[in-house]
Amino acid sequence: MKAVGYAADHAGAPLGHFEFERREPGANDVTIEILYCGVCHSDIHYVNNDWGRSNYPVVPGHEIVGRVLSVGDKVTRFSPGDTVGVGCFVDSCRHCFACDEGEEQFCAEGPTMTYGGFERESQHPTFGGYSTNYVVDEKYTLKISEQADLAATAPLLCAGITTWSPLKRYQVGPGQLVGVMGLGGLGHIGVKFAKAFGAEVVMFTTSTAKTEDAKKLGADHVVLSSDKETMKAWSNRLDFLLDTVSAPHDLNKNLRLLKRDGVCCLVGLPDQPLSFSPFMTAGRKNITGSMMGGIEETQEMLDFCAEHGIGCDVELIDIQSINTAYERVLKSDVKYRFVIDMASFNSDNSAWKQSLPQSQG
């Protein structure tokens, strides 16, 4: 099946027009016309090969919202016309301890990523959501409410679930003092979730200019993390700290904020190792990490957001502006996620629809 996207053909290359073929849809597959796709900082890391494991050409994008065009004859959960989402992965081994427990993101064999990976059976490369369509097994497809703001929902499929999962795992809620480090694509939705769960929320930021925004998002307190005296006043107070910073930073500063048995969870992805002094963990202070969530947990998050009117703060862009958007992300010049409106693909790219299979659903 024909598809059109934007791709990079080597590390650091600008994204440009790219025509390719999706795999043939099978009996359990859903074929999706992509309507919106979020722009994640990890897309930039991958395009630039910052982690040293990129495959080219790469069509990025793992925050996909679209409309079902057709379904295979064994599909039972979706019908043509449904609004659906695809997150960071599109398959897993389906039989390891993690998959059996609904945590496919921790698949012992490694999940099949939405882009930059290879289909488990055909070994066909996976190309992501900066494109016109996607083919995915219904088991890894998510339902999206018709009442949801679709553009604001797209980043929930990565940024949303990445912050939701640890907050839920550590039972953040009423009576807890919860910090969020960094007000960006992850941090802004982390504040919304922590507040929605009933916690008292502290935003730690390097910029005083973000104070008003943080409070609008739900933060009860805003702390300038570069102010040593102010940070000292917050020592040994936090039950939980969500660290969303994607640049190298001092973890000792984080540990000082935690009370006894407090937890600092890292969800940002710096391209360099972080370090801390073992002495700073005295008081049973914990550093842990997290990834995105499994399919069931992601669906729970999407349903919660639809019910409570929660979405990401986004700026819509055309696909043709993607390289400029990357430059702006690196300058932290976005509030707080870019989302590509796929209607911006030129009408002459609509030829891919002619290759769609007839729906059997």
Side-chain angles (χ1 to χ4, degrees):
M1 187 177 68
K2 294 180 181 179
V4 180
Y6 265 50
D9 60 10
H10 63 271
L15 296 168
H17 183 93
F18 178 62
E19 298 183 11
F20 61 100
E21 291 186 355
R22 294 285 182 195
R23 64 176 170 83
E24 183 73 16
N28 296 304
D29 287 332
V30 175
T31 301
I32 302 166
E33 177 181 11
I34 299 175
L35 303 176
Y36 298 99
C37 185
V39 176
C40 182
H41 202 142
S42 59
D43 298 344
I44 302 174
H45 283 307
Y46 197 91
V47 166
N48 292 336
N49 198 26
D50 290 334
W51 301 322
R53 53 179 175 80
S54 299
N55 298 307
Y56 299 95
V58 56
V59 177
H62 55 207
E63 299 176 344
I64 298 168
V65 169
R67 183 177 295 112
V68 176
L69 291 171
S70 64
V71 299
D73 57 10
K74 292 185 179 180
V75 171
T76 60
R77 297 176 56 238
F78 300 99
S79 300
D82 288 350
T83 306
V84 297
V86 178
C88 298
F89 58 91
V90 291
D91 203 354
S92 62
C93 78
R94 311 187 189 206
H95 55 72
C96 71
F97 66 94
C99 289
D100 286 344
E101 294 176 357
E103 294 198 304
E104 301 92 344
Q105 74 275 26
F106 300 128
C107 175
E109 296 181 9
T112 301
M113 307 311 287
T114 305
Y115 67 83
F118 297 89
E119 301 280 357
R120 298 182 100 81
E121 292 186 6
S122 69
Q123 289 301 298
H124 192 284
T126 58
F127 295 115
Y130 295 8
S131 57
T132 49
N133 54 40
Y134 208 94
V135 177
V136 60
D137 189 303
E138 71 165 335
K139 179 177 173 62
Y140 298 83
T141 307
L142 297 147
K143 297 180 180 179
I144 293 178
S145 170
E146 295 294 338
Q147 284 70 51
D149 180 327
L150 300 187
T153 296
L156 293 176
L157 293 158
C158 177
I161 189 58
T162 296
T163 53
W164 169 283
S165 187
L167 291 171
K168 293 290 284 188
R169 177 171 180 76
Y170 290 96
Q171 300 178 347
V172 164
Q176 290 188 322
L177 187 62
V178 174
V180 177
M181 185 73 70
L183 182 53
L186 292 173
H188 92 284
I189 192 64
V191 169
K192 291 186 181 184
F193 283 153
K195 190 65 178 178
F197 296 161
E200 184 178 352
V201 183
V202 188
M203 165 54 65
F204 295 90
T205 177
T206 58
S207 173
T208 55
K210 294 184 177 181
T211 298
E212 185 177 346
D213 277 359
K215 290 184 175 180
K216 287 180 179 178
L217 292 166
D220 299 289
H221 314 276
V222 183
V223 176
L224 186 64
S225 59
S226 59
D227 187 323
K228 292 183 179 180
E229 289 302 311
T230 302
M231 288 291 284
K232 186 177 180 180
W234 284 91
S235 296
N236 302 305
R237 295 181 61 182
L238 299 183
D239 295 283
F240 184 87
L241 176 62
L242 186 70
D243 184 343
T244 73
V245 178
S246 59
H249 58 289
D250 182 10
L251 291 182
N252 294 306
K253 184 184 295 186
N254 291 12
L255 289 166
R256 290 189 186 96
L257 297 168
L258 299 178
K259 66 194 306 184
R260 187 193 67 212
D261 296 319
V263 175
C264 171
C265 184
L266 308 178
V267 293
L269 293 173
D271 57 5
Q272 299 178 33
L274 304 180
S275 63
F276 63 92
S277 168
F279 290 103
M280 295 304 299
T281 60
R284 296 196 300 257
K285 298 182 179 185
N286 302 277
I287 289 182
T288 188
S290 187
M291 292 177 64
M292 53 278 183
I295 296 298
E296 182 178 353
E297 186 178 37
T298 304
Q299 189 64 64
E300 176 190 28
M301 180 266 307
L302 289 170
D303 294 344
F304 180 93
C305 289
E307 180 181 352
H308 293 85
I310 296 174
C312 292
D313 290 14
V314 304
E315 180 179 337
L316 276 178
I317 61 169
D318 295 340
I319 186 64
Q320 294 82 3
S321 302
I322 188 60
N323 293 305
T324 300
Y326 274 21
E327 293 172 2
R328 289 181 55 191
V329 169
L330 294 173
K331 297 176 182 177
S332 298
D333 180 25
V334 55
K335 293 184 179 180
Y336 283 95
R337 296 290 274 207
F338 285 119
V339 173
I340 306 166
D341 182 351
M342 289 304 166
S344 59
F345 269 106
N346 295 330
S347 59
D348 61 1
N349 288 335
S350 63
W352 65 269
K353 290 187 178 182
Q354 299 174 10
S355 66
L356 288 175
Q358 294 296 312
S359 175
Q360 300 176 40

